[in-house]
Amino acid sequence: MIAPNDIESRVEMLERELADVRRRLDRAEISGNWLNALVGSHEDNPDFDQVLELGRQIRAADRPSDMAGE
């Protein structure tokens, strides 16, 4: 069983961390469209290109055989 002092200290730590997260969120600039921040962020990234290609392959493998040419 956890000692009461340990629980209290853990709760105090969590409360401090939560307060810090809230302060950061209050200061954070929220853009109107988060997608705009992502567009182009992986340009010229061969690893991301590979991820896209693997995704295409997975989707193609999941298609019914009568739709393979579409």
Side-chain angles (χ1 to χ4, degrees):
M1 180 163 216
I2 300 175
N5 288 344
D6 290 342
I7 293 173
E8 287 177 22
S9 64
R10 292 178 70 184
V11 168
E12 288 173 4
M13 180 190 66
L14 289 170
E15 287 174 341
R16 284 191 303 272
E17 290 182 6
L18 179 59
D20 182 51
V21 168
R22 286 181 173 159
R23 275 192 299 278
R24 289 179 189 209
L25 285 174
D26 287 342
R27 288 186 297 212
E29 181 180 321
I30 300 173
S31 66
N33 187 349
W34 60 269
L35 187 57
N36 288 337
L38 295 177
V39 172
S41 63
H42 291 286
E43 190 174 1
D44 299 325
N45 183 337
D47 293 332
F48 188 70
D49 293 340
Q50 183 180 9
V51 167
L52 292 177
E53 180 55 33
L54 291 172
R56 284 186 200 100
Q57 291 174 14
I58 289 169
R59 288 190 302 278
D62 286 343
R63 287 189 192 110
S65 59
D66 61 338
M67 295 180 64
E70 295 180 17

